[in-house]
Amino acid sequence: MTERAHVLDTYRRDACLSQEELWLRYFELGGMSTSLQLELFLFGVLQPTTHDHDVIAQALNERFLELGADHPVPYAEDELDASAKS
């Protein structure tokens, strides 16, 4: 499992979302990957595009806001900024 996939799947579990629930939220935000592809992203078998990663992050962040939390899931640009500073 890649680090990016591990982070997304950890946040998914923390948000108390099944993979199917996350996929529906992702799809509602304009994500075009199938439920199976999303599952493969979460397991690190496939690498999501920057756009897909950001739509998944947005879906998760919206869920965290519903739960009264902040929006902790980093977007692809945030990850690039963090790695550039390292």
Side-chain angles (χ1 to χ4, degrees), residues 13-45:
R13 285 183 268 118
D14 290 347
C16 301
L17 290 174
S18 69
Q19 291 174 358
E20 294 81 17
E21 290 168 325
L22 176 57
W23 177 81
L24 183 58
R25 289 168 176 264
Y26 157 85
F27 186 75
E28 289 172 339
L29 290 171
M32 299 301 294
S33 296
T34 66
S35 178
L36 177 60
Q37 288 170 314
L38 178 67
E39 183 178 347
L40 295 175
F41 295 156
L42 296 175
F43 287 132
V45 175

Side-chain angles (χ1 to χ4, degrees), residues 43-64:
F43 287 132
V45 175
L46 290 178
Q47 182 71 27
T49 64
T50 300
H51 174 76
D52 281 323
H53 173 87
D54 286 347
V55 176
I56 295 166
Q58 180 66 32
L60 289 166
N61 283 329
E62 287 182 6
R63 173 63 176 158
F64 280 111

